[in-house]
Short mmCIF file of all heavy atoms in Angstrom, two decimals:
data_model
loop_
_atom_site.label_atom_id
_atom_site.label_comp_id
_atom_site.label_asym_id
_atom_site.label_seq_id
_atom_site.Cartn_x
_atom_site.Cartn_y
_atom_site.Cartn_z
N LEU Q 1 114.36 34.00 129.72
CA LEU Q 1 113.45 34.76 130.57
C LEU Q 1 112.10 34.96 129.90
O LEU Q 1 111.04 34.75 130.51
CB LEU Q 1 114.07 36.10 130.95
CG LEU Q 1 113.16 37.06 131.75
CD1 LEU Q 1 112.82 36.46 133.10
CD2 LEU Q 1 113.85 38.43 131.92
N ALA Q 2 112.14 35.36 128.63
CA ALA Q 2 110.88 35.56 127.90
C ALA Q 2 110.10 34.26 127.76
O ALA Q 2 108.87 34.25 127.86
CB ALA Q 2 111.18 36.14 126.52
N THR Q 3 110.81 33.17 127.54
CA THR Q 3 110.14 31.87 127.43
C THR Q 3 109.47 31.49 128.74
O THR Q 3 108.33 30.99 128.75
CB THR Q 3 111.15 30.78 127.02
OG1 THR Q 3 111.78 31.15 125.79
CG2 THR Q 3 110.46 29.44 126.84
N GLY Q 4 110.15 31.73 129.86
CA GLY Q 4 109.56 31.43 131.15
C GLY Q 4 108.35 32.30 131.46
O GLY Q 4 107.32 31.82 131.95
N LEU Q 5 108.46 33.59 131.16
CA LEU Q 5 107.34 34.49 131.42
C LEU Q 5 106.13 34.15 130.57
O LEU Q 5 104.98 34.33 131.02
CB LEU Q 5 107.77 35.94 131.17
CG LEU Q 5 108.82 36.52 132.14
CD1 LEU Q 5 109.21 37.92 131.72
CD2 LEU Q 5 108.29 36.51 133.56
N SER Q 6 106.34 33.69 129.34
CA SER Q 6 105.22 33.36 128.47
C SER Q 6 104.43 32.15 128.98
O SER Q 6 103.27 31.98 128.62
CB SER Q 6 105.71 33.08 127.05
OG SER Q 6 106.47 31.89 126.99
N TRP Q 7 105.06 31.32 129.83
CA TRP Q 7 104.31 30.21 130.45
C TRP Q 7 103.16 30.76 131.29
O TRP Q 7 102.08 30.18 131.33
CB TRP Q 7 105.24 29.39 131.33
CG TRP Q 7 106.20 28.52 130.58
CD1 TRP Q 7 106.43 28.53 129.24
CD2 TRP Q 7 107.06 27.54 131.13
NE1 TRP Q 7 107.39 27.61 128.91
CE2 TRP Q 7 107.80 26.96 130.06
CE3 TRP Q 7 107.29 27.07 132.42
CZ2 TRP Q 7 108.74 25.98 130.25
CZ3 TRP Q 7 108.24 26.07 132.62
CH2 TRP Q 7 108.95 25.53 131.53
N PHE Q 8 103.41 31.87 131.99
CA PHE Q 8 102.40 32.43 132.88
C PHE Q 8 101.48 33.41 132.15
O PHE Q 8 100.27 33.45 132.43
CB PHE Q 8 103.09 33.14 134.06
CG PHE Q 8 103.99 32.24 134.86
CD1 PHE Q 8 105.35 32.21 134.64
CD2 PHE Q 8 103.45 31.42 135.83
CE1 PHE Q 8 106.18 31.39 135.38
CE2 PHE Q 8 104.27 30.58 136.59
CZ PHE Q 8 105.63 30.56 136.37
N ARG Q 9 102.04 34.18 131.22
CA ARG Q 9 101.22 35.21 130.58
C ARG Q 9 100.34 34.65 129.48
O ARG Q 9 99.15 35.00 129.38
CB ARG Q 9 102.13 36.30 130.01
CG ARG Q 9 101.38 37.46 129.39
CD ARG Q 9 102.32 38.54 128.89
NE ARG Q 9 101.58 39.68 128.36
CZ ARG Q 9 102.15 40.73 127.79
NH1 ARG Q 9 103.48 40.81 127.68
NH2 ARG Q 9 101.40 41.72 127.32
N TYR Q 10 100.91 33.78 128.63
CA TYR Q 10 100.16 33.25 127.49
C TYR Q 10 99.91 31.74 127.59
O TYR Q 10 99.32 31.17 126.67
CB TYR Q 10 100.92 33.54 126.18
CG TYR Q 10 101.12 35.00 125.89
CD1 TYR Q 10 102.39 35.57 125.92
CD2 TYR Q 10 100.03 35.82 125.59
CE1 TYR Q 10 102.58 36.92 125.65
CE2 TYR Q 10 100.21 37.18 125.32
CZ TYR Q 10 101.49 37.71 125.35
OH TYR Q 10 101.67 39.05 125.09
N HIS Q 11 100.34 31.13 128.70
CA HIS Q 11 100.17 29.69 128.90
C HIS Q 11 100.79 28.89 127.76
O HIS Q 11 100.21 27.91 127.28
CB HIS Q 11 98.68 29.34 129.04
CG HIS Q 11 97.98 30.13 130.11
ND1 HIS Q 11 98.20 29.94 131.46
CD2 HIS Q 11 97.08 31.16 130.01
CE1 HIS Q 11 97.46 30.79 132.16
NE2 HIS Q 11 96.77 31.54 131.31
N LEU Q 12 101.97 29.30 127.33
CA LEU Q 12 102.66 28.63 126.24
C LEU Q 12 103.66 27.62 126.81
O LEU Q 12 104.60 27.99 127.52
CB LEU Q 12 103.41 29.65 125.36
CG LEU Q 12 102.55 30.70 124.65
CD1 LEU Q 12 103.43 31.61 123.81
CD2 LEU Q 12 101.48 30.05 123.79
N ARG Q 13 103.44 26.36 126.52
CA ARG Q 13 104.37 25.32 126.91
C ARG Q 13 105.20 24.93 125.70
O ARG Q 13 104.86 25.23 124.56
CB ARG Q 13 103.61 24.10 127.45
CG ARG Q 13 102.77 24.38 128.68
CD ARG Q 13 103.64 24.77 129.86
NE ARG Q 13 102.86 24.88 131.09
CZ ARG Q 13 102.33 26.00 131.56
NH1 ARG Q 13 102.50 27.13 130.86
NH2 ARG Q 13 101.67 26.02 132.68
N PHE Q 14 106.28 24.25 125.94
CA PHE Q 14 107.16 23.86 124.84
C PHE Q 14 106.46 22.86 123.93
O PHE Q 14 105.90 21.86 124.38
CB PHE Q 14 108.45 23.22 125.37
CG PHE Q 14 109.55 24.21 125.62
CD1 PHE Q 14 109.96 24.48 126.91
CD2 PHE Q 14 110.17 24.86 124.57
CE1 PHE Q 14 110.97 25.39 127.16
CE2 PHE Q 14 111.19 25.76 124.81
CZ PHE Q 14 111.60 26.03 126.10
N ASP Q 15 106.49 23.17 122.64
CA ASP Q 15 106.12 22.20 121.62
C ASP Q 15 107.38 21.81 120.86
O ASP Q 15 108.49 22.22 121.21
CB ASP Q 15 105.04 22.75 120.68
CG ASP Q 15 105.51 24.00 119.94
OD1 ASP Q 15 106.65 24.47 120.19
OD2 ASP Q 15 104.74 24.51 119.10
N ALA Q 16 107.22 20.99 119.83
CA ALA Q 16 108.39 20.50 119.09
C ALA Q 16 109.16 21.65 118.45
O ALA Q 16 110.41 21.68 118.48
CB ALA Q 16 107.95 19.50 118.02
N ILE Q 17 108.45 22.63 117.88
CA ILE Q 17 109.12 23.75 117.22
C ILE Q 17 109.89 24.60 118.24
O ILE Q 17 111.04 24.96 118.03
CB ILE Q 17 108.09 24.61 116.46
CG1 ILE Q 17 107.47 23.79 115.32
CG2 ILE Q 17 108.75 25.87 115.91
CD1 ILE Q 17 106.41 24.55 114.55
N GLY Q 18 109.25 24.92 119.35
CA GLY Q 18 109.91 25.74 120.36
C GLY Q 18 111.12 25.05 120.95
O GLY Q 18 112.17 25.68 121.16
N GLN Q 19 110.99 23.77 121.23
CA GLN Q 19 112.12 23.03 121.80
C GLN Q 19 113.28 22.96 120.81
O GLN Q 19 114.43 23.18 121.19
CB GLN Q 19 111.65 21.62 122.17
CG GLN Q 19 112.74 20.74 122.73
CD GLN Q 19 112.22 19.38 123.14
OE1 GLN Q 19 111.21 19.27 123.82
NE2 GLN Q 19 112.89 18.33 122.70
N ASP Q 20 112.97 22.66 119.55
CA ASP Q 20 114.04 22.58 118.55
C ASP Q 20 114.71 23.93 118.36
O ASP Q 20 115.93 24.01 118.18
CB ASP Q 20 113.47 22.08 117.22
CG ASP Q 20 113.08 20.62 117.28
OD1 ASP Q 20 113.46 19.95 118.24
OD2 ASP Q 20 112.37 20.16 116.36
N THR Q 21 113.93 25.01 118.37
CA THR Q 21 114.48 26.35 118.19
C THR Q 21 115.44 26.69 119.33
O THR Q 21 116.54 27.21 119.10
CB THR Q 21 113.36 27.39 118.13
OG1 THR Q 21 112.48 27.08 117.05
CG2 THR Q 21 113.94 28.78 117.91
N MET Q 22 115.04 26.39 120.56
CA MET Q 22 115.90 26.68 121.71
C MET Q 22 117.19 25.86 121.65
O MET Q 22 118.29 26.40 121.83
CB MET Q 22 115.16 26.39 123.01
CG MET Q 22 115.98 26.69 124.26
SD MET Q 22 115.18 26.19 125.79
CE MET Q 22 115.30 24.39 125.64
N LEU Q 23 117.06 24.56 121.41
CA LEU Q 23 118.23 23.70 121.36
C LEU Q 23 119.16 24.09 120.22
O LEU Q 23 120.39 24.03 120.36
CB LEU Q 23 117.80 22.24 121.23
CG LEU Q 23 117.06 21.65 122.43
CD1 LEU Q 23 116.63 20.22 122.14
CD2 LEU Q 23 117.90 21.72 123.68
N LYS Q 24 118.58 24.50 119.10
CA LYS Q 24 119.40 24.90 117.95
C LYS Q 24 120.22 26.14 118.27
O LYS Q 24 121.41 26.22 117.94
CB LYS Q 24 118.50 25.13 116.74
CG LYS Q 24 119.24 25.34 115.43
CD LYS Q 24 118.25 25.47 114.29
CE LYS Q 24 118.96 25.62 112.96
NZ LYS Q 24 118.01 25.77 111.83
N LEU Q 25 119.59 27.13 118.92
CA LEU Q 25 120.32 28.35 119.26
C LEU Q 25 121.43 28.06 120.27
O LEU Q 25 122.56 28.52 120.11
CB LEU Q 25 119.34 29.39 119.81
CG LEU Q 25 119.93 30.78 120.06
CD1 LEU Q 25 118.90 31.86 119.71
CD2 LEU Q 25 120.36 30.95 121.51
N ILE Q 26 121.11 27.28 121.32
CA ILE Q 26 122.12 26.96 122.32
C ILE Q 26 123.27 26.17 121.69
O ILE Q 26 124.45 26.41 121.96
CB ILE Q 26 121.49 26.16 123.48
CG1 ILE Q 26 120.49 27.04 124.24
CG2 ILE Q 26 122.56 25.64 124.43
CD1 ILE Q 26 119.72 26.31 125.32
N PHE Q 27 122.92 25.22 120.83
CA PHE Q 27 123.94 24.39 120.19
C PHE Q 27 124.86 25.25 119.33
O PHE Q 27 126.09 25.07 119.33
CB PHE Q 27 123.26 23.32 119.35
CG PHE Q 27 124.20 22.35 118.69
CD1 PHE Q 27 125.03 21.54 119.45
CD2 PHE Q 27 124.27 22.25 117.32
CE1 PHE Q 27 125.90 20.64 118.86
CE2 PHE Q 27 125.13 21.36 116.71
CZ PHE Q 27 125.95 20.55 117.48
N ASN Q 28 124.31 26.20 118.59
CA ASN Q 28 125.14 27.04 117.73
C ASN Q 28 126.01 27.99 118.55
O ASN Q 28 127.13 28.33 118.13
CB ASN Q 28 124.26 27.83 116.76
CG ASN Q 28 123.78 26.98 115.60
OD1 ASN Q 28 124.52 26.15 115.08
ND2 ASN Q 28 122.54 27.17 115.20
N LEU Q 29 125.55 28.43 119.71
CA LEU Q 29 126.41 29.23 120.59
C LEU Q 29 127.57 28.40 121.12
O LEU Q 29 128.70 28.89 121.24
CB LEU Q 29 125.58 29.80 121.75
CG LEU Q 29 124.50 30.82 121.40
CD1 LEU Q 29 123.82 31.34 122.66
CD2 LEU Q 29 125.06 31.98 120.58
N LEU Q 30 127.31 27.13 121.42
CA LEU Q 30 128.38 26.25 121.87
C LEU Q 30 129.38 25.99 120.74
O LEU Q 30 130.59 25.90 120.98
CB LEU Q 30 127.79 24.93 122.37
CG LEU Q 30 127.00 25.01 123.68
CD1 LEU Q 30 126.36 23.65 123.99
CD2 LEU Q 30 127.88 25.46 124.84
N ILE Q 31 128.88 25.86 119.52
CA ILE Q 31 129.78 25.67 118.38
C ILE Q 31 130.67 26.90 118.20
O ILE Q 31 131.87 26.78 117.91
CB ILE Q 31 128.97 25.39 117.10
CG1 ILE Q 31 128.33 24.00 117.17
CG2 ILE Q 31 129.85 25.49 115.86
CD1 ILE Q 31 127.44 23.67 116.00
N PHE Q 32 130.10 28.08 118.37
CA PHE Q 32 130.91 29.30 118.28
C PHE Q 32 132.04 29.26 119.31
O PHE Q 32 133.21 29.55 118.99
CB PHE Q 32 130.02 30.52 118.51
CG PHE Q 32 130.78 31.78 118.81
CD1 PHE Q 32 131.55 32.39 117.84
CD2 PHE Q 32 130.75 32.34 120.07
CE1 PHE Q 32 132.27 33.55 118.12
CE2 PHE Q 32 131.46 33.49 120.37
CZ PHE Q 32 132.22 34.10 119.39
N ALA Q 33 131.72 28.90 120.56
CA ALA Q 33 132.75 28.82 121.60
C ALA Q 33 133.78 27.75 121.25
O ALA Q 33 134.99 27.95 121.46
CB ALA Q 33 132.10 28.52 122.95
N LEU Q 34 133.33 26.62 120.73
CA LEU Q 34 134.24 25.54 120.36
C LEU Q 34 135.22 25.96 119.29
O LEU Q 34 136.44 25.76 119.41
CB LEU Q 34 133.41 24.34 119.88
CG LEU Q 34 134.19 23.18 119.26
CD1 LEU Q 34 134.92 22.40 120.33
CD2 LEU Q 34 133.25 22.26 118.48
N VAL Q 35 134.71 26.56 118.21
CA VAL Q 35 135.57 26.96 117.10
C VAL Q 35 136.51 28.08 117.52
O VAL Q 35 137.70 28.08 117.16
CB VAL Q 35 134.72 27.37 115.89
CG1 VAL Q 35 135.60 27.86 114.74
CG2 VAL Q 35 133.84 26.21 115.42
N TYR Q 36 135.99 29.04 118.27
CA TYR Q 36 136.83 30.16 118.71
C TYR Q 36 138.00 29.65 119.57
O TYR Q 36 139.15 30.06 119.38
CB TYR Q 36 136.00 31.16 119.50
CG TYR Q 36 136.81 32.31 120.05
CD1 TYR Q 36 137.15 33.39 119.25
CD2 TYR Q 36 137.25 32.30 121.37
CE1 TYR Q 36 137.91 34.44 119.74
CE2 TYR Q 36 138.01 33.35 121.89
CZ TYR Q 36 138.33 34.42 121.06
OH TYR Q 36 139.09 35.45 121.56
N ARG Q 37 137.72 28.76 120.50
CA ARG Q 37 138.77 28.23 121.36
C ARG Q 37 139.81 27.45 120.55
O ARG Q 37 141.02 27.57 120.78
CB ARG Q 37 138.17 27.33 122.44
CG ARG Q 37 139.20 26.69 123.35
CD ARG Q 37 138.54 25.83 124.41
NE ARG Q 37 139.54 25.19 125.26
CZ ARG Q 37 140.10 24.01 125.00
NH1 ARG Q 37 139.75 23.34 123.88
NH2 ARG Q 37 140.99 23.50 125.82
#
């Protein structure tokens, strides 16, 4: 939500750092679900 809102408020689009950060967090949450299961 904050990432989407920043597109309109600060005109921030995804760069390499932002994209990698998002994918890394999502990937680690999926790893948590994988290991827990």
Side-chain angles (χ1 to χ4, degrees):
L1 175 64
T3 303
L5 293 176
S6 68
W7 286 9
F8 301 97
R9 184 178 183 184
Y10 298 112
H11 306 289
L12 298 181
R13 299 295 187 266
F14 271 111
D15 60 357
I17 295 178
Q19 179 177 312
D20 290 347
T21 302
M22 181 186 70
L23 293 177
K24 189 176 183 181
L25 186 143
I26 294 174
F27 183 62
N28 282 321
L29 294 183
L30 291 175
I31 290 176
F32 164 69
L34 171 74
V35 177
Y36 177 81
R37 178 179 179 271

